[in-house]
């Protein structure tokens, strides 16, 4: 059941990206598709020989995301917004702050393996508003 939820959540999320999503910006036509079975909440991405894990990371505004090179070769992360990690040596990391909501596609080289960082606003509180004192 959890796998089905993750796949559905990823499909909905990717559909939102394709339609401009909740960011209010039109999606770039060359945004790479993230694997629907590899979606996770968190702040760390492991660079592996098969690509970034998870391929689709969901975090919140103000979060710092870290890509850790777990391979035995140099890696680079290039965001489609122009941010570049430079060479990430084996065992080293690259970190980027995400101060605002949005969808940030990237590619990992060598191999141009795609990934996606989605920064979402927190869920609104379900508690009723407290009236101001009169």
């Amino acid at each position: 059941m959890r796998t089905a939820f993750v796949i559905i959540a990823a499909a909905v999320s990717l559909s939102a990206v394709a339609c401009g999503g909740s960011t209010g910006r039109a999606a770039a036509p060359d945004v790479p598709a993230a694997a629907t079975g590899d979606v996770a909440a968190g702040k760390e991405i492991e660079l592996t020989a098969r690509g970034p894990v998870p391929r689709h990371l969901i975090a919140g505004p103000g979060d710092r995301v870290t890509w850790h090179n777990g391979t035995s070769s140099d890696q680079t992360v290039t965001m489609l917004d122009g941010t570049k990690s430079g060479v990430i040596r084996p065992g080293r990391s690259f970190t980027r702050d995400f101060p605002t909501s949005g969808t940030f596609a990237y590619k990992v080289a060598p191999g141009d393996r795609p990934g996606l960082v989605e920064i979402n606003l927190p869920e609104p509180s379900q508690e009723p508003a407290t009236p101001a004192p009169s």
Side-chain angles (χ1 to χ4, degrees):
M1 183 71 172
R2 182 166 175 6
T3 302
F5 174 76
V6 169
I7 291 171
I8 291 168
V12 169
S13 176
L14 290 175
S15 294
V17 170
C19 297
S22 62
T23 63
R25 291 181 252 149
D30 58 349
V31 171
T36 57
D38 191 12
V39 178
K43 298 178 186 175
E44 294 186 12
I45 299 169
E46 183 78 12
L47 301 178
T48 71
R50 294 176 45 178
V53 176
R55 289 190 191 275
H56 183 168
L57 181 86
I58 300 173
D63 283 350
R64 173 174 284 176
V65 175
T66 300
W67 288 260
H68 176 75
N69 184 356
T71 72
S72 59
S73 61
D74 293 347
Q75 305 281 315
T76 60
V77 173
T78 302
M79 307 294 291
L80 295 186
D81 69 2
T83 303
K84 295 182 180 183
S85 67
V87 174
I88 308 169
R89 304 258 184 237
R92 301 291 184 140
S93 299
F94 162 68
T95 301
R96 176 178 171 183
D97 293 325
F98 289 89
T100 60
S101 295
T103 302
F104 303 87
Y106 65 91
K107 292 183 180 182
V108 177
D112 285 337
R113 296 172 313 260
L116 195 67
V117 173
E118 183 178 341
I119 306 299
N120 291 324
L121 291 173
E123 292 293 321
S125 172
Q126 298 300 321
E127 296 182 28
T130 306
S134 32

